[in-house]
Amino acid sequence: MSDNVGLSTPRGSGTSGYVQRNLAHLKPRDRAAPYNTKDLDHLKHRQRQPDKEILEHDRKREVEVKVFELRDRLEDEGVDEDEIDKRCDALRKELQAKMNKGGRDAAPRKPLKAHQVHELADAKIKESERLRSALKISKDYEEGSHWKRQEERLRKAMERESSAQKEKE
């Protein structure tokens, strides 16, 4: 064995004597602060904004999926190709008009999946907006501002007490 690593001889140990390194060993990390303590604004929670183009693309894709389903069904029924094109164009225009108007289908939407991050972000923003309006929270509300106002009131009260004591003396 080299460098005094492992067994001096594998005889009688029941092993081959092969030495492996410890992959579970964690090297010590730097002792520096993990974040800048002077600027804590970047630690505030910021709502993830959805990409409008991706949302628009998904809506258009839903329309095209429904048009394709109609086309497939009509082809299976043996309808003439010109009639299929005419019906598909009519359905496409109808669905695009609904989409542009902002109306949703009467059927409830399916729950969003984890990979639909932009739809999830959009739904979360709408939910937060509904909650904020229900609780009558102003749009310019800053988290923790209540404590700042309370600290200011306490500081002013302390200043009044100290000025009142100075006047007594």
Side-chain angles (χ1 to χ4, degrees):
M1 301 267 38
S2 62
D3 299 331
N4 286 333
V5 175
L7 302 170
S8 58
T9 175
R11 287 184 67 188
S13 68
T15 66
S16 67
Y18 182 75
V19 177
Q20 295 180 340
R21 67 185 183 126
N22 183 1
L23 296 176
H25 176 70
L26 297 175
K27 295 179 181 176
R29 300 179 83 181
D30 294 338
R31 297 292 179 205
Y35 50 85
N36 187 359
T37 56
K38 295 176 185 170
D39 183 28
L40 297 178
D41 285 340
H42 72 281
L43 294 177
K44 281 187 181 176
H45 172 69
R46 286 190 301 271
Q47 188 94 37
R48 181 178 185 155
Q49 298 298 315
D51 189 349
K52 301 291 183 197
E53 292 176 1
I54 291 177
L55 292 174
E56 184 68 22
H57 173 78
D58 286 343
R59 287 189 201 106
K60 288 179 182 176
R61 187 175 182 280
E62 287 177 17
V63 168
E64 291 303 318
V65 165
K66 290 178 182 175
V67 169
F68 183 76
E69 288 172 354
L70 175 68
R71 175 178 292 279
D72 192 38
R73 187 174 40 111
L74 291 175
E75 286 175 352
D76 288 344
E77 292 174 2
V79 179
D80 184 39
E81 191 68 32
D82 293 333
E83 181 67 23
I84 291 174
D85 288 339
K86 197 182 303 180
R87 286 188 189 178
C88 288
D89 288 337
L91 178 66
R92 182 178 291 116
K93 287 177 184 175
E94 175 188 336
L95 292 174
Q96 285 176 344
K98 273 186 185 177
M99 185 179 76
N100 291 337
K101 188 175 70 172
R104 278 292 180 194
D105 297 333
R109 289 199 50 122
K110 295 177 183 173
L112 297 172
K113 296 188 169 83
H115 64 85
Q116 296 174 308
V117 291
H118 297 279
E119 289 88 346
L120 286 169
D122 190 40
K124 184 66 175 176
I125 288 173
K126 289 177 181 173
E127 178 189 6
S128 296
E129 188 65 27
R130 282 194 312 268
L131 183 64
R132 187 188 59 72
S133 65
L135 297 176
K136 296 183 174 99
I137 299 173
S138 65
K139 288 186 178 183
D140 59 343
Y141 175 76
E142 184 179 329
E143 190 174 326
S145 61
H146 167 75
W147 299 110
K148 290 177 185 175
R149 287 193 304 260
Q150 189 173 359
E151 287 174 3
E152 287 176 16
R153 279 188 243 128
L154 285 171
R155 186 173 34 83
K156 287 179 183 179
M158 295 288 280
E159 288 173 2
R160 276 185 263 145
E161 286 179 14
S162 63
S163 63
Q165 287 181 354
K166 287 181 183 179
E167 289 176 8
K168 287 183 182 179
E169 294 174 357

